[in-house]
Amino acid sequence: MSEFNKGCMNDNEFEDILEDLSGEFVTVIVKSGGTCDQEYGCGCHSENGNKEEVECCCAWEGLLCSIGSDFIFLIDDGERIFIPVDAIAAIIEAC
């Protein structure tokens, strides 16, 4: 097996992937909806300096503790974070 394919999983449902990550430290990228601007840490400026609106995303890090039917539960430094499954854009597993 090539080095490239070692981390690949075939034909797994999203729920199965979440179950495999349970108990792992992960970063969850969520869609926050709407647009944001530079003042609030989101958005960007074009090369000519004009502000452009972009879809804003946020990252949450923590131990994936629980998976519900419509949310996941992370914990980080005593902070409990509940994230709706339909708001998840990506999950990054710490290596």
Side-chain angles (χ1 to χ4, degrees), residues 71-91:
F71 69 91
I72 64 172
F73 167 54
L74 302 178
I75 191 162
D76 185 38
D77 291 331
E79 183 178 32
R80 299 184 312 166
I81 306 162
F82 296 90
I83 302 172
V85 171
D86 61 354
I88 296 173
I91 298 179

Side-chain angles (χ1 to χ4, degrees), residues 26-46:
V26 297
T27 301
V28 179
I29 309 298
V30 297
K31 301 174 277 188
S32 64
T35 57
C36 301
D37 60 30
Q38 193 66 26
E39 179 180 353
Y40 297 105
C42 299
C44 62
H45 289 83
S46 64

Side-chain angles (χ1 to χ4, degrees), residues 38-56:
Q38 193 66 26
E39 179 180 353
Y40 297 105
C42 299
C44 62
H45 289 83
S46 64
E47 290 181 17
N48 64 9
N50 293 332
K51 189 181 291 188
E52 297 176 359
E53 291 186 351
V54 296
E55 186 173 329
C56 191

